[in-house]
């Protein structure tokens, strides 16, 4: 069966510091991978998605970037965090853009 | 592009009553409509989905209906229980778009 992992689970970072969040999927090949951000009490904002290694589509221009160095690995990065980057970051996978399955999420607080 | 509107944003019902959440979509080419439930502090989880070749689908106390002509779909929860309290998100998939477009979410509260 398929499993999706995210780490870290929680993170507290100062403004201006770098960020690296990692997502890995097990049990499937060539999945679509997604990064979402959810502000407190808000909806799901799609940040990036990838249909293959090295292929990244950006949905919202912002302070973040994504990379997919391996088939089942998706990384979200920032060079300098802003206060507005705080939120719940969710990774998801799907096959052919159909049903998406979410990871456990990373709760990021920028101080 | 596709746009999904979800109503209401908050819904409060008495335990045992039914709850209905409605979503409308803009692109008639959309053909896949999932519903997710997100409990506080947890990840969204798929609870039911429907494809455009089906008008209704049921799974125990939950059901989803789709009206392609009107471009709207609804989630129905019967005999609500306290554990149904959560935020519910609808979504639509535009054929070939490789991504879902989500509604804004509905916070459902079941009052004992």
């Amino acid at each position: 069966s398929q499993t999706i992992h995210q780490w870290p689970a929680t993170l507290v970072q100062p403004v201006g510091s770098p960020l690296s969040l990692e997502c890995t999927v097990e049990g499937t090949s060539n999945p679509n991978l997604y990064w979402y951000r959810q502000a407190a009490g808000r909806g799901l904002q799609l940040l990036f998605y990838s249909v293959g290694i090295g292929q990244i589509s950006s949905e919202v221009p912002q302070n973040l970037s994504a990379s997919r160095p391996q088939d089942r690995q998706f990384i979200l990065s920032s060079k300098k965090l802003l206060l507005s980057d705080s939120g719940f970051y969710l990774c998801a996978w799907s096959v052919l853009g159909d049903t998406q399955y979410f990871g456990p999420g990373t709760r990021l607080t920028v101080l | 592009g596709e746009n999904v509107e979800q109503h209401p944003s908050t819904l409060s019902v008495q335990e045992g009553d039914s709850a209905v959440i409605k979503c409308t979509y803009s692109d008639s080419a959309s053909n896949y409509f999932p519903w997710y439930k997100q409990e506080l502090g947890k990840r969204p989880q798929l609870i039911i989905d429907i494809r455009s070749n089906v008008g209704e689908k049921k799974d125990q106390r939950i059901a989803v209906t789709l009206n392609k002509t009107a471009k709207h779909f609804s989630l129905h929860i019967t005999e609500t229980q306290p554990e149904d309290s959560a935020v519910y998100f609808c979504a639509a998939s535009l054929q070939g778009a490789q991504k879902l477009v989500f509604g804004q979410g509905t916070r459902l509260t079941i009052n004992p």
Side-chain angles (χ1 to χ4, degrees), chain A residues 32 34 59 98-100, chain B residues 32 36 38 51 98-99:
Chain A
N32 285 6
Y34 307 83
E59 289 293 296
D98 209 279
T99 309
Q100 289 186 19
Chain B
Y32 176 64
Y36 289 83
Q38 186 179 28
R51 298 186 186 277
Q98 303 286 352
K99 61 182 181 180

Side-chain angles (χ1 to χ4, degrees), chain A residues 32 34 36 38 43-44 49 59 88 90 96-100 102-104 107, chain B residues 32 36 38 41-44 46 49 51 89 93 97-100 102 104 107:
Chain A
N32 285 6
Y34 307 83
Y36 290 88
Q38 188 174 35
L44 300 164
Y49 70 96
E59 289 293 296
F88 191 39
L90 291 155
L96 300 177
D98 209 279
T99 309
Q100 289 186 19
F102 288 86
R107 193 162 303 281
Chain B
Y32 176 64
Y36 289 83
Q38 186 179 28
K42 301 291 184 61
R43 74 183 88 181
L46 179 74
D49 56 11
R51 298 186 186 277
F89 291 98
S93 177
Q98 303 286 352
K99 61 182 181 180
L100 295 173
F102 283 88
Q104 299 87 340
R107 183 174 301 278

